[in-house]
Amino acid sequence: EMAGDAKELLQSLNSLPEESLLECYDEVQALFKRVEAAKKSSQKKPSAEYALEWSPQSLQFPRRTAKELSEEILELTRKGGDFTVHNYVAVIEDFTPESVLVETELFPRGAIEFYTAKNMGWPIAEDDTAKWLTPGRGGEQGDYREGMQKKIANVVDCLRTHPHSKRAIIPIPFATEGSANVDWTNAG
């Protein structure tokens, strides 16, 4: 229907003087954009192909190391900016412990290793707790160990069953309620 309208319009435009064409240029451009949009929407892609476009396996997303990603996010949200980043996507391909550890002034390697052990529910020494557990790093608010092993098992099961899932996450609890019972198995 839209293509037929465009053909009729082109035929009538051919008979107009040049001055008249210039007067209706914007309307003609808008019509052609609508025709192109209609053509694109009628050419639906197979769902598997479309799903791959939004999968981390898609090469359209930039590849970053954890350190590069951290630096990029800090730059995007630097002081003086509006701190708003919408639909940011990047893929970290190397998840070895050394490649994903990003130290900061607030979280040097020792603090990161302490909080990792604490939140995984692994044993931690009292002197490490005294050294690294501080209010500036979240104090007891940063305690996410409740149900952590169950959450990890849920993510592993989800990814084994649905390798392209974007819902395989480890939920972090809210201050007033936990997250140990969240099950993403059939969340879409």
Side-chain angles (χ1 to χ4, degrees):
E1 181 183 314
M2 183 71 76
D5 290 344
K7 285 179 185 175
E8 285 179 38
L9 178 65
L10 280 174
Q11 289 170 350
S12 63
L13 289 175
N14 283 331
S15 63
L16 291 174
E18 190 174 323
E19 301 82 41
S20 298
L21 285 173
L22 291 174
E23 290 173 14
C24 62
Y25 178 79
D26 290 337
E27 293 87 39
V28 172
Q29 285 293 99
L31 177 65
F32 281 117
K33 285 181 182 175
R34 287 189 4 235
V35 168
E36 285 301 311
K39 273 200 287 188
K40 284 181 183 176
S41 70
S42 68
Q43 299 169 347
K44 299 211 180 218
K45 296 179 182 180
S47 61
E49 181 183 330
Y50 180 76
L52 183 60
E53 284 184 19
W54 295 101
S55 165
Q57 292 177 342
S58 170
L59 296 178
Q60 74 178 344
F61 298 124
R63 274 37 189 171
R64 303 280 190 265
T65 65
K67 184 162 182 55
E68 290 169 337
L69 188 59
S70 175
E71 290 168 355
E72 191 168 319
I73 291 293
L74 289 172
E75 177 61 25
L76 290 169
T77 59
R78 74 183 179 284
K79 190 173 184 174
D82 73 0
F83 302 104
T84 305
V85 179
H86 296 283
N87 301 321
Y88 180 88
V89 178
V91 177
I92 299 174
E93 293 180 308
D94 182 0
F95 265 89
T96 56
E98 282 305 312
S99 72
V100 296
L101 189 131
V102 178
E103 295 183 72
T104 65
E105 188 177 324
L106 182 60
F107 281 94
R109 181 183 202 98
I112 293 169
E113 289 173 347
F114 166 78
Y115 275 93
T116 298
K118 179 178 186 288
N119 289 319
M120 292 298 291
W122 300 336
I124 49 177
E126 283 184 35
D127 58 330
D128 283 339
T129 301
K131 181 176 182 178
W132 300 113
L133 183 65
T134 66
R137 294 189 184 106
E140 289 304 322
Q141 178 184 340
D143 188 347
Y144 306 127
R145 64 191 140 173
E146 181 185 346
M148 185 58 73
Q149 297 306 315
K150 182 180 173 185
K151 293 176 196 180
I152 292 170
N154 187 25
V155 166
V156 170
D157 180 59
C158 177
L159 290 173
R160 282 185 177 147
T161 309
H162 308 285
H164 298 292
S165 177
K166 292 182 259 344
R167 301 198 188 273
I169 63 166
I170 297 176
I172 301 300
F174 296 105
T176 58
E177 58 186 277
S179 61
N181 297 319
V182 175
D183 184 357
W184 297 101
T185 304
N186 296 311

